[in-house]
Structures are given as C-alpha cells and as structure tokens.
Amino acid sequence: MKNILDGIKINISPKIYVKDPETSELGKKILENSILLIDEIGFDNFTFKKLGLKIGSNESSIYRYFESKHKLLLYLSSWYWGWIEFKLVLSTNSISNPKDKLMRAIEIVTEEIISDTNQPHINEVILNKIIICEFSKSYLTKEVDDENKEGYFLIYKRVINRIIEMVNEVNPTFPYAKSLISTVVEGALHQHFLKSHFKSITDCSDEITPTEFFKNLVLKQIN
C-alpha cells in the first residue's frame, strides 16, 4: 500500500486556495515548510511573515496561494483527510466480512501515524501531529456554517460517512451510527492529545492505544 500512496494527488476544493500549491515548486515549498513551522511554534504563533523568512520568500508570494493562514490550515486538514480516505479505501476494499472491514477502518482513523509514505513535500507523521493539536481550529469559527456550505469540510465528512456505511452493514438497526463514528474520529484525536499531554485523565498509553479503546467501544455499541 505504501507504494500506491506515494505520489497521490488529493483533490481539494479550489475555493480553499488562490492558486493550487501543488502546481509549482514554491507552492510545494510553502506546504512542506508550513507543516514544519506549525509543528515547531504552533498555529496560533504561525504567520505568513515567519513562513516567508523560513523559505526565503516574500510574504506577499504566500498570499498568491492562500488568502489567510486559516485557509492554509483548511488546505492541510483537507489533504490529511484525503490521504486518510485513500488509506481507508485501499485497506478495506478487499475485506468481505463487514465486521472485519469496520474494525480495519477504525484502525485507520485512530492509529498513530509513525511512518511517512515519502511524499516529497508532505510529512504525514508531522501533519498527523498538527491535526491532533490544531484541526479543531479549522472549524471552531463563526464562519463554519458558510464554509461548510462551500464544501470546505467535504473530505472530512466523507471519511466519516464511509465508516457509517460500514456500521450499517454490520448492524442496520443500530440507531446511532452517525454519532458513534463522528465521536470515534474526533475522539481519537482527543485521546492522542491526552495521551501526550494529560496522561492522568486517559487510560490510553503506550500499552493501551486509542485504537484498542475505540475498537472495543464500537463493538460493544453495535453488537
């Protein structure tokens, strides 16, 4: 699967960017270094001026690709969930047993990313860390309803809906599939955060992974 994921092209809504960063070396450099810089200093402290200094380019050149750092975060988030969707489809496509397929899907959206698929300008391991810490900032805004209507969160919702369909295959009478799976996807990010920063309020650890917890939760709920 690793070779298949190498060089994938994620289709992201053109409304999120001014110019597609995948179409130029500067654009790819912006993506690569924004991930590194956000991981280093956090999204709140991240600015296009600081990114420009890091890549040796004028701040104005970055605005030719993204009108704001919020739009850049939306782009990075969309890329991440598009990558997760690719993994989800490839990993479950050949599984015929509905319960096994669901459990594999839960693994994909809850596991820690520990290896990079050699995307030349996207480090998925670091991007995963950013999604864990910063993803909620992409939608906890006053503009969320308008941005949702514009399709900014389409890929994220599509990932969740794919797994909802799997729950329905296992147990079509289960009445809370949407709430359960959206809780799993969001909850996995939160548990990874707690595991790293607030260890005293989570059972997740190096021995008990968020994946183990959520697989147990889902099975008990839908059986």
Side-chain angles (χ1 to χ4, degrees):
M1 186 176 73
K2 180 180 181 296
N3 291 333
I4 297 175
L5 288 170
D6 287 352
I8 61 174
K9 177 69 170 72
I10 308 296
N11 293 317
I12 296 173
S13 170
K15 295 179 180 180
I16 292 178
Y17 52 80
V18 179
K19 178 181 178 180
D20 186 351
E22 298 279 358
T23 60
S24 73
E25 288 305 312
L26 176 58
K28 293 176 181 179
K29 194 173 183 180
I30 288 171
L31 295 180
E32 178 183 5
N33 287 276
S34 64
I35 291 170
L36 298 176
L37 189 57
I38 292 171
D39 178 57
E40 179 184 345
I41 65 175
F43 184 68
D44 290 341
N45 293 319
F46 172 86
T47 66
F48 282 175
K49 182 177 181 179
K50 292 176 182 178
L51 178 59
L53 291 172
K54 185 175 180 64
I55 66 176
S57 182
N58 294 327
E59 182 180 357
S60 59
S61 66
I62 302 171
Y63 281 104
R64 297 193 192 108
Y65 291 86
F66 298 100
E67 65 181 29
S68 67
K69 73 173 190 176
H70 174 66
K71 288 291 183 68
L72 174 59
L73 181 60
L74 284 168
Y75 185 96
L76 295 176
S77 300
S78 295
W79 196 99
Y80 176 81
W81 292 114
W83 178 67
I84 290 294
E85 184 178 34
F86 265 97
K87 292 180 65 178
L88 187 65
V89 172
L90 290 172
S91 295
T92 62
N93 188 53
S94 61
I95 302 176
S96 58
N97 182 280
K99 186 172 289 186
D100 291 343
K101 179 183 290 189
L102 175 60
M103 289 299 99
R104 181 62 185 132
I106 299 300
E107 290 174 0
I108 293 294
V109 295
T110 61
E111 66 188 0
E112 180 181 2
I113 307 301
I114 57 174
S115 62
D116 184 10
T117 61
N118 292 323
Q119 291 290 327
H121 57 289
I122 302 285
N123 185 313
E124 294 94 352
V125 176
I126 298 178
L127 182 56
N128 173 243
K129 292 167 59 181
I130 291 173
I131 296 300
I132 288 170
C133 294
E134 314 283 8
F135 175 58
S136 62
K137 294 174 184 175
S138 71
Y139 62 81
L140 294 179
T141 66
K142 289 291 186 182
E143 298 77 28
V144 62
D145 291 332
D146 292 334
E147 291 180 345
N148 187 36
K149 290 176 183 177
E150 292 293 330
Y152 291 0
F153 306 100
L154 184 62
I155 302 175
Y156 167 65
K157 294 191 296 182
R158 199 163 64 211
V159 168
I160 293 175
N161 280 315
R162 285 184 182 276
I163 307 176
I164 290 169
E165 291 176 3
M166 296 178 193
V167 171
N168 290 332
E169 288 181 14
V170 175
N171 185 353
T173 64
F174 180 69
Y176 310 115
K178 293 179 181 179
S179 296
L180 177 62
I181 297 307
S182 60
T183 296
V184 168
V185 174
E186 282 293 321
L189 300 180
H190 188 56
Q191 288 299 318
H192 278 293
F193 183 87
L194 296 182
K195 177 175 171 286
S196 296
H197 302 288
F198 297 146
K199 301 178 187 295
S200 64
I201 57 171
T202 179
D203 294 303
C204 294
S205 63
D206 292 337
E207 290 73 35
I208 302 174
T209 66
T211 296
E212 182 180 347
F213 167 69
F214 283 109
K215 287 173 70 173
N216 180 276
L217 175 67
V218 170
L219 282 174
K220 287 186 175 180
Q221 287 297 313
I222 67 176
N223 282 339

